[in-house]
């Protein structure tokens, strides 16, 4: 074995050590890079002299076999799934917090107290049916109820509008990530075809897959050439090799599954259904759609039901009475044609707004002291008018507030558990 061979052996060690030091430096400088996987140099011995002859085998040094990522695909999959669930709960938490703030009655008069005051004012009116000041107090308490119905519906609709805007933003993000993944698929395949190690590109693709999985429920798999393909569960392909399936949003009419008027529907050209809004589950996008189309829509429907029932029942009693001026068949509230948007349209009738003497308290004309209409209206508070005769108006509203609080508390518990996981 000559000096050149000895020099080559030493040189091979220097080259391998230099690569290891460079890789260590690369690891250190990327310590704070999102999704970066530590890399290490794998070396192997070179072919020794005399190996073919079977004797006097002398080693010739080392060479770099590959530079690999310290990465566990199983752990990556578990992290992606756990992150998807955490993001789902966090997105729901944002929506439920906003709804809780709307129904928080600790710092003022909420709708429940205002309705109780409304019925109490009719009890006072039954004691002094001809007192103008009491009649004005009845009208003012009613207007406060009307205003709070309007406030609640407006603020809940604002929350729904905010959620709808986030749907559009997340769809754009899904499209951007799908494009990133297809682009990285192509780059990784080119590098691997030439015998290289596309470690940094693999890290970037893992980050994009993790971000995409946080937005909606997906499945992914590798094809024969190493591309990551992504499917939206229950919908179809989103990434096929180097071809992305781009989603789009469009404002459409309301549907039977809770989507409000002119809110965004999500479309995918690859899906035989076209509209995939209600087929998207999990992740932040799934949480937004669930909160927008189920949680918020249910709250608004229940508020409308409550406003319509209050209007209809009070009018039904009031029309039977007679005003101080002798008028009959007078509506106390403006008549509502349907329950749809009743909490937005509820209002005092023009007759009552223009003159408090049009508030009927008696069933018979020219009967001083007849207070039976006022009493009948006040007794509506204790009657089970809601939920097919199983709840009073007070109980119905309390159930709305309670359901929002329970949903927020349950979701927060699940979110904290998932964060620990």
């Amino acid at each position: 074995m000559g000096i050149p061979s000895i020099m080559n052996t030493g040189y091979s060690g220097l080259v391998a050590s230099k690569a290891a030091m460079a890789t260590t430096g690369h690891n250190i400088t990327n310590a704070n890079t999102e999704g970066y996987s530590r890399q290490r140099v794998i070396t192997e011995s070179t072919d020794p002299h005399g190996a073919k002859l079977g004797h006097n085998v002398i080693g010739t040094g080392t060479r770099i076999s590959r530079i690999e990522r310290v990465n566990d695909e199983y752990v990556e999959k578990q992290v992606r799934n756990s992150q998807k669930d955490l993001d789902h709960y966090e997105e729901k938490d944002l929506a439920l917090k906003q709804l809780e703030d709307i129904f928080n009655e600790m710092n003022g008069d909420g709708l429940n107290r205002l309705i109780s005051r409304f019925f109490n004012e009719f009890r006072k009116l039954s004691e002094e049916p001809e007192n103008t000041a009491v009649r004005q107090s009845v009208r003012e308490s009613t207007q406060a109820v009307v205003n709070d119905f309007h406030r609640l519906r407006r603020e809940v609709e604002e929350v729904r509008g905010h959620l709808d805007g986030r749907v559009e933003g997340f769809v754009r993000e899904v499209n951007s990530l799908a494009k990133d993944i297809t682009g990285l698929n192509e780059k990784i395949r080119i590098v691997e075809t030439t015998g290289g190690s596309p470690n940094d590109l693999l890290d970037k693709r893992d980050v994009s897959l993790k971000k995409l999985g946080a937005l909606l429920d997906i499945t992914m798999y590798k094809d024969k050439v190493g591309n990551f393909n992504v499917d939206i569960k229950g919908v179809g392909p989103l990434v096929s090799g180097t071809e992305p399936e781009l989603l789009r949003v469009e404002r459409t009419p309301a549907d039977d599954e809770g989507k409000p008027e002119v809110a965004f529907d999500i479309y995918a050209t690859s899906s035989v259904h076209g509209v995939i809004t209600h087929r998207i589950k999990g992740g932040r996008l799934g949480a937004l759609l669930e909160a927008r189309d189920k949680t918020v829509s249910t709250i608004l429907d229940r508020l409308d039901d409550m406003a319509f029932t209050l209007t209809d029942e009070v009018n039904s009693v009031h029309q039977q009475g007679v005003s101080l001026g002798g008028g009959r068949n007078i509506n106390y509230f403006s008549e509502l044609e349907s329950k749809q948007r009743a909490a937005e349209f509820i209002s005092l009738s023009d007759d009552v707004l223009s003159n408090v003497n049009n508030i009927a308290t008696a069933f018979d004309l020219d009967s001083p002291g007849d207070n039976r209409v006022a009493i009948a209206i006040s007794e509506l508070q204790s009657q089970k008018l809601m939920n097919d005769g199983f709840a009073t108006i007070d109980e119905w509203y309390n159930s709305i507030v309670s359901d929002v609080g329970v949903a927020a508390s349950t979701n927060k518990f699940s979110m904290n558990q998932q964060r620990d996981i």
Side-chain angles (χ1 to χ4, degrees):
M1 180 177 180
I3 292 178
S5 296
I6 296 174
M7 296 295 290
N8 285 333
T9 299
Y11 177 73
S12 70
L14 288 173
V15 170
S17 297
K18 182 180 178 181
M21 291 180 65
T23 301
T24 300
H26 186 59
N27 289 335
I28 293 171
T29 54
N30 283 283
N32 296 318
T33 299
E34 181 185 8
Y36 180 78
S37 299
R38 182 169 61 87
Q39 298 177 17
R40 61 187 175 192
V41 176
I42 304 299
T43 59
E44 62 183 11
S45 60
T46 56
D47 295 332
H49 289 303
K52 294 180 180 180
L53 301 177
H55 62 279
N56 296 328
V57 177
I58 301 173
T60 58
T62 186
R63 65 185 171 200
I64 299 170
S65 171
R66 65 188 184 280
I67 299 175
E68 68 176 16
R69 295 191 302 161
V70 180
N71 177 271
D72 189 320
E73 288 192 5
Y74 175 76
V75 173
E76 283 289 333
K77 181 180 178 181
Q78 295 300 102
V79 169
R80 280 197 298 267
N81 290 336
S82 296
Q83 187 65 44
K84 174 199 67 181
D85 294 337
L86 176 59
D87 282 295
H88 180 83
Y89 291 128
E90 286 181 342
E91 195 64 35
K92 281 185 69 175
D93 185 61
L94 291 173
L96 292 170
K97 275 183 179 178
Q98 294 178 63
L99 293 172
E100 272 193 308
D101 290 341
I102 293 172
F103 289 95
N104 187 353
E105 299 185 3
M106 294 179 62
N107 299 321
D109 287 338
L111 183 58
N112 199 32
R113 296 178 187 176
L114 293 174
I115 289 178
S116 294
R117 186 181 301 167
F118 162 77
F119 286 119
N120 286 334
E121 290 298 329
F122 266 101
R123 292 188 182 94
K124 292 179 183 178
L125 184 60
S126 69
E127 297 170 1
E128 302 178 77
E130 297 180 5
N131 189 318
T132 302
V134 176
R135 286 174 172 271
Q136 290 174 341
S137 182
V138 169
R139 183 173 64 181
E140 289 172 4
S141 67
T142 308
Q143 191 60 53
V145 170
V146 167
N147 291 341
D148 212 52
F149 266 119
H150 295 172
R151 175 190 69 83
L152 286 171
R153 202 178 208 289
R154 181 182 65 253
E155 291 184 0
V156 174
E157 282 191 324
E158 286 174 355
V159 171
R160 188 162 65 177
H162 172 68
L163 298 177
D164 195 45
R166 287 176 69 81
V167 168
E168 182 184 25
F170 282 146
V171 168
R172 284 200 301 266
E173 191 171 346
V174 167
N175 288 340
S176 176
L177 290 168
K179 290 179 182 177
D180 288 344
I181 293 168
T182 55
L184 288 165
N185 275 341
E186 186 172 7
K187 291 178 181 177
I188 289 168
R189 190 179 63 194
I190 292 171
V191 173
E192 289 179 337
T193 301
T194 58
S197 299
N199 295 323
D200 293 332
L201 294 175
L202 291 169
D203 284 340
K204 289 180 180 179
R205 187 172 66 181
D206 283 347
V207 169
S208 294
L209 288 168
K210 191 181 298 181
K211 288 180 177 179
L212 183 62
L215 291 175
L216 69 173
D217 202 355
I218 59 175
T219 57
M220 57 191 78
Y221 60 93
K222 279 185 179 180
D223 60 20
K224 295 179 180 179
V225 294
N227 289 326
F228 253 113
N229 297 319
V230 180
D231 290 345
I232 302 175
K233 281 188 178 180
V235 176
L238 180 65
V239 173
S240 298
T242 58
E243 294 295 327
E245 164 65 33
L246 301 183
L247 309 180
R248 65 182 177 86
V249 294
E250 184 178 321
R251 295 196 180 277
T252 57
D255 62 25
D256 295 334
E257 297 188 59
K259 189 193 79 67
E261 190 74 21
V262 302
F264 284 120
D265 253 328
I266 303 174
Y267 290 81
T269 56
S270 67
S271 172
V272 294
H273 304 279
V275 180
I276 63 170
T277 309
H278 301 296
R279 304 174 71 84
I280 292 178
K281 309 294 180 183
R284 290 190 177 274
L285 191 53
L288 279 177
L289 295 171
E290 181 182 337
R292 186 195 72 178
D293 299 343
K294 293 183 180 179
T295 305
V296 176
S297 291
T298 299
I299 290 172
L300 289 174
D301 288 344
R302 293 174 72 180
L303 282 174
D304 289 340
D305 194 7
M306 181 178 170
F308 182 84
T309 300
L310 180 65
T311 297
D312 191 54
E313 294 293 335
V314 171
N315 280 350
S316 179
V317 175
H318 196 267
Q319 288 170 356
Q320 300 175 46
V322 58
S323 70
L324 288 181
R328 288 187 179 275
N329 294 318
I330 297 174
N331 281 326
Y332 187 78
F333 290 104
S334 296
E335 193 169 353
L336 296 172
E337 295 181 0
S338 69
K339 291 182 181 180
Q340 190 173 10
R341 307 187 75 85
E344 178 183 350
F345 298 133
I346 185 174
S347 63
L348 276 166
S349 67
D350 292 337
D351 290 328
V352 175
L353 273 176
S354 62
N355 190 347
V356 293
N357 289 333
N358 285 325
I359 299 176
T361 57
F363 278 120
D364 296 323
L365 185 63
D366 297 328
S367 300
D370 186 354
N371 60 359
R372 288 175 294 169
V373 170
I375 291 175
I377 291 177
S378 69
E379 289 177 343
L380 292 175
Q381 183 178 18
S382 59
Q383 295 179 17
K384 295 188 180 297
L385 306 173
M386 308 297 303
N387 194 25
D388 296 326
F390 286 96
T392 64
I393 290 177
D394 289 339
E395 291 169 345
W396 183 254
Y397 180 72
N398 288 337
S399 70
I400 298 175
V401 178
S402 175
D403 287 350
V404 172
V406 169
S409 177
T410 302
N411 184 78
K412 189 177 293 292
F413 177 78
S414 299
M415 180 180 68
N416 290 333
Q417 272 195 324
Q418 193 61 35
R419 185 175 288 127
D420 291 338
I421 292 173

